[in-house]
Amino acid sequence: MKRTTVITALPLLLAAGIALPLAQGCKPANTKSAVTGDAASKVYVPPGKYDEFYNFVSGGFNGQMSVYGLPSGRMLRNIPVFSVDPEKGWGYSEETKPMLMTTHGFIPWDDSHHVEPSMTNGVADGQWMFINGNNTPRIALIDLTTFRTKTIIEIPNSAGNHSSPFTTPNSEYVVAGTRFSLPMGGDAQRDVPINTYKENFKGNVTFIHPDRETGKMSIAFQITAPGVDFDLSHTGKGPSDGWFFFSCYNTEQAYELLEVNASQRDKDFIMAVNWKKAEQYAKEGKGKMVPGKHFMNHYSDETHMATSEVVEQVLQLDHKELKDLLYFMPCPKSPHGCDVDPTGQYIVGSGKLAALIPVFSFDKMIKAIEAKDFEGEFDGIPVLKYESVLHGEVKKPGLGPLHTEFDNNGFAYSSMFVSSEIVKWNVQTLEVVDRVPTYYSIGHLCVPGGDGAKPWGKYVIAYNKITKDRYLPTGPELSQSAQLFSIDGPKMELLLDYPTIGEPHYAQAIPAELIKDKSVKLFKIEDNKHPYVSKGEKETKVVRDGNKVHIYMTCIRSHFAPDNIEGVKMGDEVYFHVTNLEQDWDVPHGFAVKGAANAELLIMPGETQTLKWVPTSVGVKPFYCTDFCSALHQEMQGYIRVSPAGSNIPLTWNTKSADAGL
């Protein structure tokens, strides 16, 4: 591999025979009695006490990940990932800019949909959280000791990254399927008429390996796939460990007005991927290197800065040559969710336009493969007979099934977008045992650990796509919402709803005890390896390098050093390298300079961050601390003098305490 390193909702069209209810999305008539009298006591977390669960929620179109406490619904943090965040300087500081580099250049936003934890033996282990960038195909890894984005990897040969970032049971791989099929290859192969979709458009599935020690991610291999759209996926576990399952739609291979033209067939597919076999083939050299330029961006907690590594090629396995990698199971109709129960035996497909929920048996799937019990092929991939792989169908569960999560008692919980409800059913008997309305059209839902091998259960959280009159009005854009239900008893009970930011899609909830005691409180100043660190005020200085001026600065309650700087000229690029000398965990500092066209810095104790500033006018400009740090916070300020270009003002700096050797 050649490498270089640089610092740096449309309405649902229902299937025939399914009537669209006139009251689609309506709230229940008995709103006032929807919450029982003791619900408040079940979600109340007294001041100074901790929530039982962390709830990690995708930010949708804001490109971030938000963190809430459960059962309180209190927002704890918004983690910047794919989108710039001026509050924290993410994407604005020189250290974090490389995190948002792609082959398209610096991309300061994305559309984040799905959240997945790192796992050990199929259970969330509290080390990392992954999230996808749907627009510019990317996967991010968030370190749960710092609640910061540690690595972002771009996915080549892909367009739309919806069916990700789901992981294998020990997080050997994070997988990503293409949402939009495209012509692939060189310019000549890509520049083809859109109406040649069936001949020229292809998809693939990418397997990404995260290193357990460093958190760096690399693309292990890709598997070619037919020109269909992949929606969601989940890993097998237990008996199905070694397999991955993807929902597919647009098997019609339509390329215009998909709302109608991609909804013709009675069944689409669940694609089963034998990833253990693919891994074996990759190690045996049965793939080939193909062009696949992409960025791997990694943030170091030692240097407090990110680097971008550019990779030119990826290993690709051809499903038409390696015949035992992919299999299709027919699934009604336009499936969205693809979920695997905790035993690993049952795969649930959620056909958005179906009036039932199909549940497939892994054992039956293997037997059908061994017996070659096929009904034909699709693009060279065997299509298993529906009746041969089916465990059974959940009859009349509701309208518009989207997603399913599981508890630790053998029950499944499915979201129904059209009929606006959560439906609880028995995985073995396929009987519906309970249902509750939501406000209004539910999309994803989450049970703590509900897609793992050992769910913690206790709650199910609904993430609603359309919310009306739940909260005080805020103009034409209404607040998004989540709702918390108890699942401790035989009946689901609404406990709480609370507003969320962005458009929440998928989410994860894991016990706080897996994370809170590992949380980093500060960075040791002696371990700071930033190239522009000042580990004490005696090390502060100002250095000119051509038209670049580097200011080695420290901050501590309640002053900057240096705090008076002269000799900067118009045309200079000024770099404030600010080190927070505090070693108390609760004293971050901020930094901003008048006229900065980017953002502030938010600098944690023991950390160094850099703000680039290009003066736009002559004069004396103030800089100051933006994060309240002490009673003398207002006095934490300084001045930088900007002189005309060509002036001979010498470069000088001072701070009384620094001059005194303090």
Side-chain angles (χ1 to χ4, degrees):
M1 295 183 185
K2 180 181 177 182
R3 299 172 182 258
T4 59
T5 302
V6 295
I7 299 295
T8 80
L10 288 173
L12 287 177
L13 177 66
L14 295 183
I18 306 176
L20 179 65
L22 293 176
Q24 174 181 342
C26 285
K27 62 183 179 180
N30 59 338
T31 307
K32 294 182 179 179
S33 61
V35 178
T36 58
D38 64 343
S41 65
K42 295 179 180 179
V43 300
Y44 178 64
V45 179
K49 299 295 183 180
Y50 294 140
D51 278 283
E52 184 179 359
F53 293 95
Y54 285 102
N55 184 206
F56 299 89
V57 184
S58 71
F61 40 69
N62 77 8
Q64 317 288 41
M65 180 190 293
S66 53
V67 187
Y68 300 84
L70 295 179
S72 72
R74 300 181 296 200
M75 184 175 176
L76 304 175
R77 185 170 181 80
N78 190 42
I79 304 172
V81 185
F82 301 114
S83 299
V84 293
D85 182 353
E87 178 194 6
K88 302 173 184 67
W90 181 257
Y92 293 103
S93 71
E94 296 304 296
E95 288 79 3
T96 59
K97 284 180 180 178
M99 293 298 287
L100 302 182
M101 286 301 299
T102 75
T103 54
H104 307 282
F106 180 81
I107 303 295
W109 78 280
D110 215 312
D111 179 22
S112 57
H113 279 221
H114 304 126
V115 181
E116 183 81 350
S118 59
M119 295 190 292
T120 300
N121 297 324
V123 180
D125 54 29
Q127 182 179 9
W128 302 322
M129 203 62 71
F130 300 96
I131 192 168
N132 63 340
N134 189 32
N135 183 268
T136 303
R138 289 177 280 184
I139 299 291
L141 179 153
I142 288 86
D143 184 342
L144 294 184
T145 63
T146 60
F147 281 64
R148 286 180 170 180
T149 303
K150 193 175 187 69
T151 303
I152 297 178
I153 191 168
E154 190 179 9
I155 305 173
N157 306 319
S158 179
N161 177 36
H162 193 259
S163 55
S164 67
F166 301 100
T167 76
T168 53
N170 288 292
S171 294
E172 302 97 334
Y173 300 106
V174 182
V175 304
T178 50
R179 174 178 177 180
F180 309 109
S181 292
L182 284 177
M184 297 184 187
D187 286 349
Q189 289 78 32
R190 294 198 305 269
D191 183 19
V192 298
I194 297 172
N195 64 10
T196 65
Y197 188 108
K198 291 186 179 182
E199 295 78 25
N200 293 315
F201 285 51
K202 306 297 178 186
N204 66 52
V205 175
T206 302
F207 283 74
I208 300 164
H209 173 67
D211 184 270
R212 277 286 187 177
E213 295 298 320
T214 65
K216 289 185 176 181
M217 295 191 287
S218 59
I219 294 177
F221 54 86
Q222 294 181 325
I223 305 174
T224 65
V228 298
D229 293 29
F230 294 99
D231 206 336
L232 282 165
S233 58
H234 269 100
T235 182
K237 53 184 78 76
S240 56
D241 186 11
W243 290 80
F244 235 99
F245 304 94
F246 290 80
S247 60
C248 317
Y249 64 100
N250 193 23
T251 57
E252 296 87 352
Q253 297 186 302
Y255 52 86
E256 58 186 3
L257 195 61
L258 262 64
E259 180 187 17
V260 174
N261 292 324
S263 304
Q264 300 297 310
R265 296 189 177 187
D266 184 55
K267 291 182 175 67
D268 288 286
F269 296 130
I270 298 294
M271 185 173 76
V273 180
N274 189 338
W275 69 261
K276 285 282 190 181
K277 180 66 71 173
E279 180 183 58
Q280 176 188 330
Y281 284 153
K283 291 178 179 178
E284 293 173 351
K286 293 185 178 180
K288 63 179 179 180
M289 300 303 296
V290 301
K293 186 176 180 179
H294 61 280
F295 275 69
M296 194 285 288
N297 308 320
H298 180 74
Y299 188 89
S300 167
D301 289 329
E302 292 184 338
T303 64
H304 304 285
M305 62 194 318
T307 57
S308 291
E309 183 177 346
V310 182
V311 183
E312 299 287 348
Q313 295 178 305
V314 294
L315 180 66
Q316 201 166 81
L317 306 175
D318 191 336
H319 77 276
K320 292 186 177 180
E321 296 176 2
L322 305 170
K323 295 286 190 177
D324 53 354
L325 292 182
L326 307 180
Y327 298 90
F328 280 139
M329 297 187 290
C331 180
K333 179 183 183 189
S334 297
H336 185 55
C338 182
D339 304 285
V340 182
D341 87 308
T343 71
Q345 184 58 250
Y346 302 110
I347 303 102
V348 180
S350 296
K352 302 189 297 290
L353 307 184
L356 52 83
I357 298 176
V359 182
F360 303 98
S361 163
F362 177 74
D363 284 348
K364 288 185 176 182
M365 185 194 83
I366 294 299
K367 290 177 182 178
I369 292 172
E370 292 172 347
K372 299 187 183 303
D373 192 5
F374 308 146
E375 65 177 39
E377 287 189 351
F378 184 94
D379 195 45
I381 298 173
V383 179
L384 304 172
K385 291 182 179 178
Y386 181 68
E387 295 77 10
S388 299
V389 296
L390 188 68
H391 167 60
E393 297 172 340
V394 183
K395 304 291 187 181
K396 298 182 179 179
L399 298 180
L402 292 185
H403 301 279
T404 299
E405 293 268 300
F406 306 90
D407 66 15
N408 52 338
N409 296 310
F411 293 102
Y413 302 79
S414 296
S415 58
M416 300 290 166
F417 176 78
V418 177
S419 52
S420 298
E421 58 186 334
I422 298 175
V423 175
K424 177 181 178 180
W425 50 276
N426 187 294
V427 177
Q428 281 286 346
T429 67
L430 308 178
E431 295 176 312
V432 173
V433 297
D434 192 25
R435 61 179 72 236
V436 291
T438 60
Y439 305 91
Y440 283 75
S441 295
I442 180 176
H444 281 275
L445 75 174
C446 168
V447 173
D451 61 354
K454 294 181 179 178
W456 290 282
K458 192 163 187 177
Y459 303 111
V460 61
I461 308 102
Y463 302 96
N464 299 327
K465 294 295 186 186
I466 301 169
T467 300
K468 302 172 185 174
D469 68 24
R470 296 304 296 158
Y471 316 109
L472 289 171
T474 54
E477 185 181 7
L478 301 175
S479 176
Q480 308 286 330
S481 78
Q483 291 181 281
L484 181 73
F485 296 84
S486 169
I487 57 173
D488 274 345
K491 297 291 185 180
M492 292 176 282
E493 177 189 2
L494 177 60
L495 300 179
L496 178 72
D497 63 11
Y498 52 95
T500 62
I501 62 173
E503 182 195 358
H505 290 261
Y506 202 43
Q508 296 286 339
I510 61 179
E513 62 187 18
L514 290 178
I515 300 173
K516 66 181 182 64
D517 294 335
K518 303 175 186 176
S519 184
V520 170
K521 293 186 178 296
L522 55 87
F523 300 102
K524 294 181 180 179
I525 192 69
E526 61 267 26
D527 295 337
N528 187 328
K529 297 179 181 179
H530 193 288
Y532 292 96
V533 64
S534 300
K535 295 187 177 182
E537 292 186 1
K538 288 185 177 181
E539 298 181 13
T540 60
K541 57 187 175 181
V542 182
V543 177
R544 176 176 288 280
D545 180 10
N547 74 325
K548 294 179 172 60
V549 177
H550 295 275
I551 302 172
Y552 294 70
M553 180 179 284
T554 61
C555 56
I556 196 167
R557 288 167 290 184
S558 294
H559 64 270
F560 294 103
D563 64 359
N564 282 252
I565 303 158
E566 300 189 28
V568 172
K569 307 171 188 180
M570 289 294 293
D572 284 344
E573 294 178 359
V574 181
Y575 295 84
F576 292 93
H577 307 288
V578 188
T579 300
N580 184 346
L581 296 179
E582 306 283 359
Q583 292 291 267
D584 289 333
W585 67 270
D586 59 344
V587 193
H589 287 293
F591 177 84
V593 60
K594 181 183 178 183
N598 39 21
E600 62 154 13
L601 297 176
L602 188 59
I603 314 149
M604 297 299 109
E607 184 178 42
T608 302
Q609 290 287 286
T610 301
L611 185 71
K612 178 182 177 180
W613 178 63
V614 179
T616 58
S617 62
V618 171
V620 176
K621 316 295 181 181
F623 53 83
Y624 65 103
C625 178
T626 56
D627 190 295
F628 193 93
C629 53
S630 71
L632 296 177
H633 167 72
Q634 289 292 97
E635 285 76 9
M636 192 169 177
Q637 65 183 52
Y639 294 98
I640 183 168
R641 177 185 174 188
V642 181
S643 299
S647 65
N648 58 1
I649 305 298
L651 195 63
T652 60
W653 63 95
N654 66 77
T655 299
K656 292 297 182 181
S657 60
D659 293 342
L662 298 178

